[in-house]
Amino acid sequence: MSTPQPATPNPSTAISVQAAPFRLDWSARLMLFAVLSAIFLAAMDQTVVSTALPTIARDLHGLAHLPWIITAYLLTSTVCLPVYGKLGDLFGRKRLLQIAILIFLAGSALSGLAQSLDALVAFRALQGLGGGGLLVSAIAAISDFIPITQRGRYQGLVGAAFGLATLIGPFLGGFIVETLSWRWIFYINVPFGALSLGIIGLAFPARKKTPTPPLDLIGGLLLITGLSALVIFASVAGSTHALSGSGPWFLLAFGIGALIAFALVENFHPEPLLPLAFFRYRTFTLSVIISFFVGLAMLGSLSFLPLYLQDVRGFTPTDSGLEMLFLLFGMLGTSIFSGRWISRTQRYRAFPVFGTLLISVALGLLSTIGLTTSLWHIDGMLAVLGVGLGMTMQVLVLSAQLSVEQKHLGVATATASLFRSMGGTLGVAGFGAVFAHFIGGMSLSDTTAGLAYQSRIVQALHVDFRVAAAVSLGAFGCAWFLEEMHHLLARRSTISDDDSAG
């Protein structure tokens, strides 16, 4: 395997700013529909569940452990991303997508049958193993049949699929909880999953058999172990265990040790799970760092907003889901616009710069909400936040892909998604620990708590949003140093020429 080496772009290899006209044929359109349907399935599950979490926690008597319902899914969906990305590059994505959907559906059905919080957390972890592979394989698959100069447009459609799923998800989740049962938010995945499975089987061609390369099993085990230990540390350190105890610190040391061992193994394996040479590329490194910051700020802070809307403002699950539409409308529109603009102009850098700035401003203003804050204030800030996210999330995946060769697209996509998901997982775990610290075992049904319980929720949100705003400002600073698209295309051409010559 040729190790990627950084190269200085040659101006003579620069790509024209104007992309040639491009149209998908019918087979490529069917493949695109298959990819978007898979993304829609996984994205809708996350938003359907979010508005029902307070109801689930109360029904299973586990409000203080609410973060674990989210964290279990995010943990497993995060740690499996590099494995799916590498296997997709080596063996093709059709079979991986089908396996991921089957695992996802099994986890969904079992989650609906769960009779305790512990069982639900375990089944959500299984569901995450499928959901993570489904997302990264589907997003990377777009790059298998879309030219690189047109990829921004279709990455924008990926963002639109996320937006559409999250537009429908909160409302659907609230409606199902009120009219049927929270269990049906998991059962509903089955028909959607069956449809996606059928489309993928029909649309994607079978991959030709190739010699099986050596798999990086030790590296995969070390990475999964290290990431899992770090997430569990963040989850338990501020809630069920005191930081003065030895348990959390042992987890932290164990996780860091496993990641150091992973880095050492990757330097010597012929087919590393994550080639560390990629981090020599400035834009690749910045893309994954910004993705981490954005994931932490977004998921960490917003995951608990439905609890505020329902337990402080008295919203029904359906109404709280509808409030989140302001965020999603902003994200949907700007995701499509940014993708089309990038494909037409071959420039992308302005979007993450302005997007992260808008995210920081919106989160800072959301940190001022109180018990009686005007809903127009909340809705306006959610819309601004959505615009910032739409300008940022899928564009960062594109910039990471542009930084590496075509044959490494799965790894690049998985790495950007890994850092964003890892940020979100640590954000949910860390901010959830803040929530657990403030509310303890209190609940709205406790008549002796009343206003004190609601005030604690508001105080926890203040801390969460302020920290998230500060993190987003860090992402804004990093975005200024991203390279523009023509520089990345020129370097890509240089690397490919070097490999062909070798």
Side-chain angles (χ1 to χ4, degrees):
M1 186 198 73
S2 58
T3 302
Q5 297 294 331
T8 302
N10 186 343
S12 65
T13 64
I15 308 300
S16 173
V17 185
Q18 296 295 329
F22 174 74
R23 295 288 185 274
L24 292 176
D25 59 28
W26 70 269
S27 60
R29 290 181 181 181
L30 189 59
M31 292 171 69
L32 179 63
F33 183 74
V35 166
L36 295 179
S37 66
I39 293 170
F40 180 86
L41 173 67
M44 190 183 70
D45 175 77
Q46 296 181 37
T47 54
V48 164
V49 173
S50 64
T51 53
L53 283 178
T55 303
I56 296 173
R58 286 191 291 267
D59 188 35
L60 297 180
H61 309 291
L63 187 60
H65 299 284
L66 177 67
W68 277 105
I69 302 176
I70 306 173
T71 302
Y73 182 94
L74 289 176
L75 170 62
T76 54
S77 65
T78 296
V79 299
C80 72
L81 289 175
V83 177
Y84 277 105
K86 187 64 178 183
L87 291 178
D89 283 343
L90 294 177
F91 303 110
R93 314 195 201 280
K94 177 177 180 178
R95 190 68 63 191
L96 281 179
L97 275 170
Q98 292 174 322
I99 293 172
I101 290 176
L102 289 174
I103 295 173
F104 179 81
L105 294 182
S108 298
L110 291 171
S111 294
L113 295 171
Q115 299 298 316
S116 67
L117 184 65
D118 291 340
L120 178 59
V121 168
F123 296 143
R124 284 282 287 168
L126 175 64
Q127 191 183 26
L129 286 175
L134 196 161
L135 277 177
V136 72
S137 299
I139 294 173
I142 290 179
S143 302
D144 292 338
F145 60 93
I146 301 293
I148 189 171
T149 55
Q150 294 295 320
R151 203 165 294 155
R153 177 181 181 182
Y154 295 95
Q155 292 286 15
L157 291 180
V158 170
F162 271 105
L164 181 61
T166 46
L167 279 173
I168 296 174
F171 174 78
L172 183 62
F175 176 78
I176 290 174
V177 169
E178 290 185 10
T179 58
L180 296 172
S181 164
W182 62 263
R183 299 182 185 278
W184 281 94
I185 65 175
F186 298 109
Y187 295 148
I188 200 170
N189 288 327
V190 175
F192 283 104
L195 176 63
S196 296
L197 200 61
I199 295 173
I200 289 169
L202 177 65
F204 276 70
R207 183 182 175 94
K208 295 180 180 179
K209 291 186 177 181
T210 57
T212 302
L215 298 180
D216 187 10
L217 298 178
I218 297 177
L221 179 62
L222 289 171
L223 181 61
I224 290 173
T225 301
L227 294 176
S228 299
L230 292 182
V231 173
I232 296 173
F233 165 79
S235 301
V236 305
S239 54
T240 59
H241 292 277
L243 282 175
S244 57
S246 61
W249 297 112
F250 173 79
L251 273 176
L252 178 62
F254 183 73
I256 293 175
L259 293 179
I260 292 174
F262 166 75
L264 295 175
V265 168
E266 296 304 276
N267 281 324
F268 298 101
H269 199 280
E271 280 290 348
L273 192 66
L274 174 57
L276 300 183
F278 288 172
F279 290 96
R280 299 175 189 171
Y281 304 147
R282 186 178 80 196
T283 294
F284 180 85
T285 301
L286 289 173
S287 296
V288 298
I289 291 174
I290 298 169
S291 295
F292 178 87
F293 285 162
V294 170
L296 190 152
M298 179 189 68
L299 285 177
S301 60
L302 289 179
S303 294
F304 303 100
L305 193 58
L307 184 63
Y308 164 81
L309 293 172
Q310 293 179 38
D311 283 6
V312 176
R313 305 306 293 267
F315 282 31
T316 64
T318 301
D319 290 338
S320 67
L322 290 173
E323 281 297 306
M324 301 301 290
L325 295 185
F326 290 92
L327 165 76
L328 306 168
F329 276 128
M331 187 168 66
L332 179 63
T334 51
S335 180
I336 296 175
F337 170 77
S338 62
R340 290 183 174 273
W341 180 272
I342 292 168
S343 290
R344 186 169 66 250
T345 66
Q346 301 294 282
R347 293 181 177 274
Y348 80 95
R349 182 172 169 269
F351 289 104
V353 170
F354 287 107
T356 50
L357 177 61
L358 289 176
I359 292 171
S360 303
V361 171
L363 290 172
L365 291 173
L366 282 171
S367 70
T368 65
I369 63 175
L371 294 173
T372 58
T373 300
S374 168
L375 289 178
W376 284 113
H377 172 84
I378 298 174
D379 296 340
M381 291 309 99
L382 287 175
V384 173
L385 180 59
V387 170
L389 291 172
M391 299 173 80
T392 305
M393 292 179 64
Q394 291 306 313
V395 176
L396 293 171
V397 174
L398 175 64
S399 63
Q401 291 178 339
L402 288 168
S403 302
V404 303
E405 297 172 82
Q406 179 76 19
K407 64 182 180 180
H408 295 304
L409 282 176
V411 173
T413 304
T415 305
S417 301
L418 167 67
F419 274 74
R420 185 177 66 225
S421 297
M422 194 66 190
T425 303
L426 293 175
V428 169
F431 293 161
V434 173
F435 242 84
H437 171 75
F438 274 96
I439 68 174
M442 300 171 66
S443 70
L444 191 62
S445 59
D446 185 357
T447 57
T448 62
L451 184 61
Y453 166 71
Q454 295 175 327
S455 298
R456 294 283 186 88
I457 291 178
V458 171
Q459 292 171 21
L461 280 181
H462 286 175
V463 174
D464 286 357
F465 281 127
R466 287 169 186 166
V467 172
V471 169
S472 298
L473 280 176
F476 171 67
C478 291
W480 282 97
F481 297 96
L482 292 168
E483 298 167 284
E484 193 50 88
M485 190 167 175
H486 62 275
H487 289 293
L488 298 175
L489 292 174
R491 177 186 297 141
R492 222 170 183 261
S493 176
T494 304
I495 296 172
S496 297
D497 290 344
D498 291 344
D499 282 350
S500 298

